[in-house]
Amino acid sequence: MGILCHLKGLKLIWRIFPSGHVFKILKSPLQYQSILMLDINAGLVACSQMMGQCIREDIAQMFAQFHTNKAALGADFLRLNKEKGWLVPPPLHINKTSM
């Protein structure tokens, strides 16, 4: 049995097996990277919020370390997305001045 659901514009197919296990079947690597980037960015926001709300310095430093690791992972994924052609940056807008 398959159930179609929508996750922020991405179409996922949920397969529910008789044993009760649920698996998400994605249709392309682009969808994988979109969901991974969504999770990485949500983790960055959560770490930033915890750093701002902590009253203990050691816990804030721990979340700062998590934030740094997630930012490095996000940079790696950004580079991978550009290399694979999944993210195409727009052309640079250069103003030409008259001479």
Side-chain angles (χ1 to χ4, degrees):
M1 168 170 47
I3 301 171
L4 184 67
C5 75
H6 296 277
L7 174 66
K8 297 197 184 248
L10 299 175
K11 291 184 180 179
L12 303 174
I13 297 175
W14 295 77
R15 296 282 183 199
I16 302 174
F17 292 94
S19 63
H21 292 90
V22 178
F23 294 96
K24 292 182 272 187
I25 300 172
L26 300 172
K27 298 188 180 208
S28 70
L30 179 61
Q31 290 179 342
Y32 282 115
Q33 72 87 18
S34 296
I35 290 175
L36 284 174
M37 288 302 291
L38 181 76
D39 288 341
I40 290 170
N41 291 333
L44 280 171
V45 170
C47 288
S48 296
Q49 287 178 342
M50 288 305 298
M51 287 178 354
Q53 294 174 2
C54 279
I55 56 173
R56 289 182 47 187
E57 293 176 6
D58 57 339
I59 302 296
Q61 289 176 353
M62 181 180 68
F63 278 103
Q65 184 179 12
F66 295 156
H67 188 276
T68 303
N69 293 340
K70 286 201 174 285
L73 183 64
D76 290 341
F77 267 94
L78 181 62
R79 181 187 45 79
L80 179 68
N81 289 338
K82 288 180 182 179
E83 287 176 1
K84 296 288 185 178
W86 296 330
L87 178 67
V88 180
L92 295 175
H93 184 74
I94 301 172
N95 289 332
K96 294 185 179 183
T97 58
S98 60
M99 294 195 192

